[in-house]
Amino acid sequence: MKKTVLTLAISAIVFGATTQVNAAGFQLAESSATGLGRAYAGEAAIADNASTQARNPAMLAYLEGRQLSTGGIYVMPDVDVLGDVSVTSPLLGSDAVVMNADEIDVADNALVPNFYYSNQLNDHWTWGLAVNANYGLATETDKTSAAAIFGSHTAITTVEFNPNIAYRIDDEFTVGAGLRMVYGEGEVSATTPAWIGAISANPNVPASISARLPSAGTELKSMEGDDIGYGWKAGASWQINTSNRIGLAYHSGVDLDLDGTVSGVVYDGGQDIKIDGYLPIELPAFAELASYHQLTENWAMHASINWTEWSTFERLVAYFPGEVKPTGDIESDIVKEENFKDSWRYAIGTTYTVNDQWTLRAGFALDKTAVDDEHRTTTIPDTDRFWFSMGTGYQVSENLSVDLGVTYIRMHGDAPISESQDLLGLATIDFNGEATGDVWLTGVQLSYKM
């Protein structure tokens, strides 16, 4: 049964939050630990193991027999949102009340697992199954923190089930396609900061207004729920010659309709009532153009250009079709303006085969932000990122291999944040600050030829 509550902090629920400094917006890039070691450079043109179908289903045609690949990447973000909250109200005089709103280490560590299977049916046809995540992670701040009104808790989990099929046309060309089935669940909330008590106790604030102010930690708007959406993907590859290959892949957007009920004093006025609502969301389409170049017997270079259609993520609007409406008898509510733009990622990597057992990998990437400075928010403080990656592969036996990867991601450039929120029509709350931080990723991938 779906259980959904639509929220103020919904910008964090669209499968990402302040943890998302490892890819633009709230997108995850961690499809396998094998690719992690080269910063995912050339992924749509490389077929190391069954995980290749996560990026380009056409690359399944390069895999022989039946293969399994499974692993996980542990994400360790260190993200701080630093700034001040100011409260402006005629009840408090002409000057704004300013207080520190620094939040340290707001993003939780998380494991991103994966599982892949491929089966070569004959010289032309190969099918596979991919289970991984493209969006996710979580944030948590104290319910009474100075900026809690902008969002205090987010926990998001997504899983993509992805059957794929590939066809080898000839020695040069392969094509592939797959079905995207995305399951997502999450919970988010925005609460009343501790400073609300000081405003309520201010002698200049009339008693009738103080009585309307919720106590610190009160739920303003919140959500928990799940949904399933569907999409598709397609890809192709061109083996130019024995040493050079190009891959191209496209993943469609996925529409989600989160339907359920809204809660929190902003919507229900503190009454024990059920208000039906729904929130339409489109997870963005993305594409990759990749190349692979075998320069010598032992040394290869590879590169990727990735595009994500974040421009579809303009605003989040909740709708209330039921007979019982939120406070003010409203039909809809603009939950948050985001105004994202399409983003680009550029990666270059290298692979060196030491001997029959050991392989070394390295890579670098520039991940461009999906947000202009004027539209960055506390819930998705996206910014440009640099990736520095290295990894290794070890052939344990003829059929079993192990890949290890480590990546350090550093924010590049400034990430100013400026947000404004209305407090029950009594005051204007402004946040001004910046996001800072970095991320460590480490992963292991086990691959077996059956």
Side-chain angles (χ1 to χ4, degrees), residues 5-17 139 147-156 187-191 220-223 267 279 313 316 333 335-336 338 377-380 419 421:
V5 183
L6 305 173
T7 85
L8 159 72
I10 228 90
S11 61
I13 186 235
V14 195
F15 306 133
T139 61
I149 191 173
F150 295 99
S152 57
H153 172 70
T154 304
I156 304 300
E187 54 183 287
V188 293
S189 63
T191 51
L220 296 173
K221 300 181 182 179
S222 69
M223 164 186 181
Y267 282 146
L279 179 77
F313 190 53
L316 292 163
D333 181 29
V335 179
K336 203 155 192 178
E338 293 294 352
T377 65
T378 57
T379 45
I380 309 181
E419 279 199 89
Q421 189 72 244

Short mmCIF file of all heavy atoms in Angstrom, two decimals, residues 5-17 139 147-156 187-191 220-223 267 279 313 316 333 335-336 338 377-380 419 421:
data_model
loop_
_atom_site.label_atom_id
_atom_site.label_comp_id
_atom_site.label_asym_id
_atom_site.label_seq_id
_atom_site.Cartn_x
_atom_site.Cartn_y
_atom_site.Cartn_z
N VAL A 5 3.02 11.40 2.07
CA VAL A 5 2.67 12.68 2.65
C VAL A 5 3.46 13.74 1.91
O VAL A 5 4.67 13.64 1.84
CB VAL A 5 3.03 12.71 4.14
CG1 VAL A 5 2.59 14.01 4.74
CG2 VAL A 5 2.41 11.55 4.86
N LEU A 6 2.82 14.74 1.31
CA LEU A 6 3.51 15.74 0.51
C LEU A 6 4.07 16.83 1.39
O LEU A 6 3.51 17.15 2.40
CB LEU A 6 2.52 16.32 -0.51
CG LEU A 6 1.88 15.22 -1.35
CD1 LEU A 6 0.79 15.80 -2.23
CD2 LEU A 6 2.91 14.53 -2.18
N THR A 7 5.22 17.42 0.98
CA THR A 7 5.94 18.25 1.92
C THR A 7 6.55 19.53 1.38
O THR A 7 6.71 19.72 0.21
CB THR A 7 7.14 17.51 2.49
OG1 THR A 7 8.20 17.67 1.61
CG2 THR A 7 6.91 16.10 2.70
N LEU A 8 6.95 20.36 2.38
CA LEU A 8 7.73 21.57 2.11
C LEU A 8 9.12 21.20 1.61
O LEU A 8 9.64 21.78 0.68
CB LEU A 8 7.85 22.37 3.40
CG LEU A 8 8.99 23.38 3.48
CD1 LEU A 8 8.69 24.56 2.60
CD2 LEU A 8 9.20 23.82 4.89
N ALA A 9 9.73 20.23 2.22
CA ALA A 9 11.09 19.83 1.87
C ALA A 9 11.10 18.85 0.72
O ALA A 9 12.02 18.08 0.56
CB ALA A 9 11.79 19.22 3.08
N ILE A 10 10.07 18.89 -0.11
CA ILE A 10 9.94 17.90 -1.16
C ILE A 10 11.08 17.99 -2.16
O ILE A 10 11.35 17.04 -2.87
CB ILE A 10 8.59 18.05 -1.87
CG1 ILE A 10 7.91 16.70 -2.00
CG2 ILE A 10 8.71 18.50 -3.26
CD1 ILE A 10 7.07 16.24 -1.02
N SER A 11 11.75 19.10 -2.25
CA SER A 11 12.88 19.18 -3.16
C SER A 11 13.94 18.19 -2.77
O SER A 11 14.73 17.76 -3.61
CB SER A 11 13.47 20.59 -3.17
OG SER A 11 13.94 20.93 -1.91
N ALA A 12 13.99 17.82 -1.52
CA ALA A 12 14.95 16.80 -1.11
C ALA A 12 14.43 15.41 -1.34
O ALA A 12 15.20 14.47 -1.41
CB ALA A 12 15.26 16.98 0.37
N ILE A 13 13.12 15.23 -1.49
CA ILE A 13 12.59 13.88 -1.64
C ILE A 13 12.68 13.37 -3.06
O ILE A 13 12.56 12.20 -3.29
CB ILE A 13 11.13 13.81 -1.20
CG1 ILE A 13 10.73 12.35 -1.24
CG2 ILE A 13 10.24 14.69 -1.92
CD1 ILE A 13 9.61 11.97 -1.99
N VAL A 14 12.90 14.23 -4.02
CA VAL A 14 12.97 13.73 -5.37
C VAL A 14 14.27 12.97 -5.52
O VAL A 14 15.11 13.27 -6.33
CB VAL A 14 12.91 14.85 -6.41
CG1 VAL A 14 12.63 14.26 -7.76
CG2 VAL A 14 11.86 15.83 -6.04
N PHE A 15 14.43 12.02 -4.62
CA PHE A 15 15.52 11.07 -4.60
C PHE A 15 16.89 11.74 -4.57
O PHE A 15 17.76 11.48 -5.37
CB PHE A 15 15.38 10.08 -5.76
CG PHE A 15 14.06 9.45 -5.73
CD1 PHE A 15 13.30 9.34 -6.87
CD2 PHE A 15 13.53 9.02 -4.53
CE1 PHE A 15 12.05 8.77 -6.81
CE2 PHE A 15 12.29 8.46 -4.47
CZ PHE A 15 11.54 8.33 -5.61
N GLY A 16 17.08 12.59 -3.60
CA GLY A 16 18.36 13.15 -3.30
C GLY A 16 18.24 14.28 -2.34
O GLY A 16 17.17 14.74 -2.05
N ALA A 17 19.37 14.72 -1.77
CA ALA A 17 19.34 15.79 -0.80
C ALA A 17 20.73 16.36 -0.70
O ALA A 17 21.48 16.31 -1.64
CB ALA A 17 18.86 15.25 0.54
N THR A 139 19.82 12.96 4.59
CA THR A 139 20.35 14.04 5.42
C THR A 139 19.55 14.12 6.72
O THR A 139 18.40 13.69 6.78
CB THR A 139 20.26 15.42 4.72
OG1 THR A 139 18.89 15.70 4.45
CG2 THR A 139 21.06 15.44 3.43
N ALA A 147 17.85 26.45 10.85
CA ALA A 147 17.34 26.39 9.48
C ALA A 147 16.38 25.23 9.27
O ALA A 147 16.09 24.86 8.12
CB ALA A 147 18.50 26.29 8.50
N ALA A 148 15.84 24.64 10.34
CA ALA A 148 14.96 23.48 10.23
C ALA A 148 13.70 23.77 9.43
O ALA A 148 13.09 22.86 8.86
CB ALA A 148 14.58 22.96 11.61
N ILE A 149 13.30 25.03 9.35
CA ILE A 149 12.11 25.40 8.59
C ILE A 149 12.29 25.13 7.10
O ILE A 149 11.33 24.96 6.36
CB ILE A 149 11.77 26.89 8.84
CG1 ILE A 149 10.39 27.23 8.27
CG2 ILE A 149 12.84 27.79 8.26
CD1 ILE A 149 9.93 28.63 8.62
N PHE A 150 13.56 25.06 6.65
CA PHE A 150 13.84 24.78 5.25
C PHE A 150 13.95 23.28 4.97
O PHE A 150 14.10 22.86 3.83
CB PHE A 150 15.13 25.47 4.81
CG PHE A 150 15.04 26.97 4.86
CD1 PHE A 150 15.56 27.67 5.94
CD2 PHE A 150 14.43 27.67 3.84
CE1 PHE A 150 15.47 29.06 5.99
CE2 PHE A 150 14.34 29.06 3.88
CZ PHE A 150 14.86 29.75 4.96
N GLY A 151 13.89 22.44 6.01
CA GLY A 151 14.01 20.99 5.87
C GLY A 151 14.93 20.43 6.94
O GLY A 151 16.07 20.86 7.06
N SER A 152 14.42 19.48 7.72
CA SER A 152 15.22 18.94 8.83
C SER A 152 15.56 17.47 8.69
O SER A 152 16.48 16.98 9.33
CB SER A 152 14.48 19.16 10.16
OG SER A 152 13.19 18.57 10.12
N HIS A 153 14.82 16.72 7.88
CA HIS A 153 15.08 15.29 7.75
C HIS A 153 14.72 14.80 6.36
O HIS A 153 13.66 15.14 5.82
CB HIS A 153 14.28 14.50 8.79
CG HIS A 153 14.35 13.01 8.59
ND1 HIS A 153 15.50 12.29 8.83
CD2 HIS A 153 13.42 12.11 8.17
CE1 HIS A 153 15.27 11.00 8.56
NE2 HIS A 153 14.02 10.87 8.16
N THR A 154 15.61 14.01 5.78
CA THR A 154 15.34 13.38 4.49
C THR A 154 15.97 11.99 4.49
O THR A 154 17.12 11.82 4.89
CB THR A 154 15.97 14.18 3.33
OG1 THR A 154 15.49 15.52 3.38
CG2 THR A 154 15.61 13.56 2.00
N ALA A 155 15.23 10.99 4.09
CA ALA A 155 15.76 9.63 3.93
C ALA A 155 15.16 9.05 2.66
O ALA A 155 13.96 8.88 2.55
CB ALA A 155 15.40 8.77 5.13
N ILE A 156 16.01 8.78 1.68
CA ILE A 156 15.54 8.35 0.37
C ILE A 156 16.25 7.07 -0.05
O ILE A 156 17.47 6.96 0.07
CB ILE A 156 15.82 9.42 -0.70
CG1 ILE A 156 15.19 10.76 -0.30
CG2 ILE A 156 15.32 8.97 -2.06
CD1 ILE A 156 13.71 10.72 -0.13
N GLU A 187 11.20 9.62 3.11
CA GLU A 187 10.50 10.42 4.11
C GLU A 187 11.27 11.72 4.32
O GLU A 187 12.50 11.72 4.32
CB GLU A 187 10.35 9.66 5.42
CG GLU A 187 11.64 9.12 6.00
CD GLU A 187 11.39 8.32 7.27
OE1 GLU A 187 11.09 8.95 8.30
OE2 GLU A 187 11.51 7.09 7.22
N VAL A 188 10.55 12.80 4.45
CA VAL A 188 11.14 14.11 4.66
C VAL A 188 10.28 14.92 5.61
O VAL A 188 9.08 14.64 5.76
CB VAL A 188 11.31 14.90 3.34
CG1 VAL A 188 12.32 14.25 2.43
CG2 VAL A 188 9.97 15.03 2.65
N SER A 189 10.88 15.91 6.25
CA SER A 189 10.08 16.77 7.13
C SER A 189 10.76 18.12 7.28
O SER A 189 11.97 18.24 7.15
CB SER A 189 9.88 16.12 8.50
OG SER A 189 11.12 15.94 9.15
N ALA A 190 9.96 19.12 7.56
CA ALA A 190 10.42 20.46 7.92
C ALA A 190 9.78 20.80 9.27
O ALA A 190 8.59 20.57 9.46
CB ALA A 190 10.03 21.48 6.86
N THR A 191 10.56 21.31 10.20
CA THR A 191 10.08 21.54 11.56
C THR A 191 10.37 22.96 12.03
O THR A 191 11.06 23.72 11.34
CB THR A 191 10.74 20.53 12.52
OG1 THR A 191 12.16 20.56 12.33
CG2 THR A 191 10.26 19.11 12.25
N LEU A 220 5.98 21.06 10.56
CA LEU A 220 5.29 22.03 9.72
C LEU A 220 4.66 21.34 8.51
O LEU A 220 3.48 21.50 8.24
CB LEU A 220 6.26 23.11 9.26
CG LEU A 220 6.84 23.99 10.39
CD1 LEU A 220 7.92 24.90 9.82
CD2 LEU A 220 5.74 24.80 11.05
N LYS A 221 5.46 20.61 7.77
CA LYS A 221 5.01 19.80 6.64
C LYS A 221 5.92 18.58 6.57
O LYS A 221 7.10 18.68 6.87
CB LYS A 221 5.08 20.57 5.32
CG LYS A 221 4.24 21.83 5.26
CD LYS A 221 4.38 22.48 3.88
CE LYS A 221 3.59 23.78 3.79
NZ LYS A 221 3.72 24.43 2.47
N SER A 222 5.38 17.43 6.19
CA SER A 222 6.21 16.23 6.14
C SER A 222 5.69 15.23 5.12
O SER A 222 4.55 15.35 4.65
CB SER A 222 6.28 15.57 7.51
OG SER A 222 5.03 15.02 7.86
N MET A 223 6.52 14.23 4.81
CA MET A 223 6.14 13.21 3.83
C MET A 223 6.83 11.90 4.09
O MET A 223 7.97 11.85 4.51
CB MET A 223 6.51 13.66 2.43
CG MET A 223 6.49 12.51 1.43
SD MET A 223 7.09 12.96 -0.19
CE MET A 223 6.89 11.40 -1.02
N TYR A 267 -0.54 22.84 6.72
CA TYR A 267 -1.62 22.33 5.89
C TYR A 267 -2.91 22.07 6.68
O TYR A 267 -4.00 22.38 6.21
CB TYR A 267 -1.20 21.03 5.21
CG TYR A 267 -0.31 21.21 4.00
CD1 TYR A 267 0.69 20.29 3.71
CD2 TYR A 267 -0.46 22.31 3.16
CE1 TYR A 267 1.50 20.44 2.61
CE2 TYR A 267 0.35 22.48 2.05
CZ TYR A 267 1.34 21.54 1.77
OH TYR A 267 2.14 21.70 0.68
N LEU A 279 1.68 14.44 -5.92
CA LEU A 279 2.79 15.24 -6.43
C LEU A 279 3.39 14.56 -7.65
O LEU A 279 3.97 13.49 -7.54
CB LEU A 279 3.88 15.40 -5.37
CG LEU A 279 5.11 16.20 -5.80
CD1 LEU A 279 4.79 17.68 -5.80
CD2 LEU A 279 6.28 15.90 -4.89
N PHE A 313 13.27 19.84 -14.30
CA PHE A 313 13.04 19.98 -12.86
C PHE A 313 12.96 21.46 -12.50
O PHE A 313 13.90 22.04 -11.99
CB PHE A 313 14.17 19.28 -12.11
CG PHE A 313 13.92 19.13 -10.62
CD1 PHE A 313 12.76 18.56 -10.14
CD2 PHE A 313 14.88 19.56 -9.72
CE1 PHE A 313 12.55 18.43 -8.78
CE2 PHE A 313 14.68 19.42 -8.36
CZ PHE A 313 13.52 18.86 -7.88
N LEU A 316 8.21 22.13 -7.94
CA LEU A 316 7.44 21.03 -7.38
C LEU A 316 6.10 21.57 -6.91
O LEU A 316 6.05 22.48 -6.08
CB LEU A 316 8.20 20.40 -6.21
CG LEU A 316 9.49 19.67 -6.64
CD1 LEU A 316 10.39 19.46 -5.44
CD2 LEU A 316 9.16 18.35 -7.29
N ASP A 333 -0.33 23.70 -4.30
CA ASP A 333 0.66 24.44 -3.53
C ASP A 333 2.01 24.30 -4.21
O ASP A 333 2.47 23.18 -4.46
CB ASP A 333 0.74 23.89 -2.10
CG ASP A 333 1.75 24.63 -1.24
OD1 ASP A 333 1.98 25.83 -1.51
OD2 ASP A 333 2.33 24.01 -0.33
N VAL A 335 5.34 23.85 -3.87
CA VAL A 335 6.14 23.39 -2.74
C VAL A 335 7.51 24.04 -2.75
O VAL A 335 7.99 24.53 -1.73
CB VAL A 335 6.27 21.86 -2.76
CG1 VAL A 335 7.13 21.37 -1.61
CG2 VAL A 335 4.91 21.21 -2.70
N LYS A 336 8.16 24.06 -3.91
CA LYS A 336 9.47 24.69 -3.98
C LYS A 336 9.85 24.97 -5.43
O LYS A 336 9.58 24.16 -6.32
CB LYS A 336 10.53 23.80 -3.34
CG LYS A 336 11.75 24.57 -2.88
CD LYS A 336 12.46 23.84 -1.76
CE LYS A 336 13.50 24.74 -1.12
NZ LYS A 336 14.18 24.10 0.00
N GLU A 338 12.80 25.23 -8.06
CA GLU A 338 14.16 24.70 -8.19
C GLU A 338 14.89 25.31 -9.39
O GLU A 338 16.04 25.68 -9.30
CB GLU A 338 14.13 23.18 -8.32
CG GLU A 338 13.65 22.47 -7.05
CD GLU A 338 14.60 22.63 -5.87
OE1 GLU A 338 15.71 23.15 -6.04
OE2 GLU A 338 14.23 22.23 -4.75
N THR A 377 19.65 25.70 -3.23
CA THR A 377 18.87 25.62 -2.00
C THR A 377 19.63 24.83 -0.93
O THR A 377 20.58 24.11 -1.22
CB THR A 377 17.52 24.93 -2.25
OG1 THR A 377 17.74 23.56 -2.62
CG2 THR A 377 16.74 25.64 -3.34
N THR A 378 19.15 24.94 0.31
CA THR A 378 19.76 24.20 1.41
C THR A 378 19.51 22.71 1.27
O THR A 378 20.29 21.90 1.75
CB THR A 378 19.20 24.67 2.76
OG1 THR A 378 17.77 24.54 2.76
CG2 THR A 378 19.57 26.12 3.02
N THR A 379 18.41 22.33 0.64
CA THR A 379 18.09 20.91 0.51
C THR A 379 18.84 20.23 -0.62
O THR A 379 19.10 19.03 -0.58
CB THR A 379 16.58 20.72 0.31
OG1 THR A 379 16.11 21.65 -0.66
CG2 THR A 379 15.83 20.91 1.61
N ILE A 380 19.18 20.98 -1.69
CA ILE A 380 20.00 20.44 -2.77
C ILE A 380 21.07 21.48 -3.10
O ILE A 380 20.98 22.22 -4.08
CB ILE A 380 19.17 20.11 -4.03
CG1 ILE A 380 17.97 19.24 -3.67
CG2 ILE A 380 20.04 19.36 -5.04
CD1 ILE A 380 17.11 18.85 -4.84
N GLU A 419 17.89 31.55 0.46
CA GLU A 419 16.50 31.07 0.45
C GLU A 419 15.64 31.93 1.36
O GLU A 419 16.13 32.52 2.33
CB GLU A 419 16.44 29.63 0.94
CG GLU A 419 16.78 28.59 -0.10
CD GLU A 419 16.27 27.22 0.31
OE1 GLU A 419 15.11 26.89 -0.03
OE2 GLU A 419 17.02 26.48 0.97
N GLN A 421 11.60 32.03 3.28
CA GLN A 421 10.43 31.25 3.68
C GLN A 421 9.49 32.13 4.50
O GLN A 421 9.93 32.92 5.34
CB GLN A 421 10.88 30.06 4.52
CG GLN A 421 9.80 29.07 4.83
CD GLN A 421 9.42 28.25 3.60
OE1 GLN A 421 8.28 28.34 3.16
NE2 GLN A 421 10.35 27.48 3.07
#
